[in-house]
Amino acid sequence: MAQLHQLPPPLNVSALLMGKHVESERLEFKEGWNPEPILHTICAYANDFRNLGGGYIIVGAKEINGIAMFPPSGLPVDSLDVIQKDLIQFGHSAIQPTYHPIAFPYLVEDRHLLVIWCPGGESRPYKAKQMPTKACKDYVYYIRRNSTTVKAKPEEEQELLGLAAVSYTHLRAHE
C-alpha cells in the first residue's frame, strides 16, 4: 500500500482532538462524510460573516456536546480520495460563485481524517444548494452562529451583500 504523505494543515489537529477545544464559529467536527451539512458549513465559512478567517471541518472525528472524542473514529482510507473529488464537485456545481476549500488527509492514532480548511472567500457572498444533488436548484446563503451553521435571515443576507460591496470598494481603492 502506498504511504500517505502527511502535509501539515495550518493548525494542530492532534491538539484539537484531545478534548481541549469545542466546536465554535471556526471549528466543526464530523464523524463521517455527510455531504449536505458539510456543504452548508463550507459555504458558511466561505462567507466568513464575522471576518474570523473562515474555519475548519474535521471529518472522521466524533463529537459529543461539541467536544471531539479521542481517539478519533477515523475514515476508511479509500474514502479520502472520493471525498476530495466530491469537494471539487461541490465547488463547481453546489456553491455559487465557485469556491474550493483546501483538504488535508491527516493521520492520528493510525486513523485517517480529512481536515477541510475553508478560508473566507474572496468572492463572497456565497450560497449553496439546499441539497447537494443535480436536481436541486434552490440555493441559500449560510453563515455560522456560534457552533452552528444556519440559513442567513433576510437582514443577514443584506449584511453579506454589504460586506461584499465593502470588500470590492477596498480592492478598487488599492489599484
Side-chain angles (χ1 to χ4, degrees), residues 27-63:
L27 181 62
E28 179 90 2
F29 299 114
K30 295 290 186 190
E31 184 172 9
W33 177 240
N34 191 344
E36 187 174 317
I38 290 173
L39 169 66
H40 298 165
T41 299
I42 290 169
C43 179
Y45 285 146
N47 279 326
D48 199 15
F49 194 60
R50 297 196 193 280
N51 291 316
L52 298 173
Y56 300 89
I57 304 167
I58 301 178
V59 185
K62 181 179 181 176
E63 60 84 18

Side-chain angles (χ1 to χ4, degrees), residues 40 43-44 47 49 96-97 123-130 138-144 149-154 156-158 160-161:
H40 298 165
C43 179
N47 279 326
F49 194 60
Q96 293 178 347
S123 301
R124 66 181 174 180
Y126 295 91
K127 53 188 174 179
K129 286 186 173 185
Q130 286 188 301
D138 298 321
Y139 285 80
V140 174
Y141 293 104
Y142 291 93
I143 60 172
R144 287 291 281 188
T149 297
V150 297
K151 292 179 184 177
K153 294 177 181 173
E156 293 165 331
E157 285 183 21
Q158 290 304 312
L160 277 171
L161 294 168

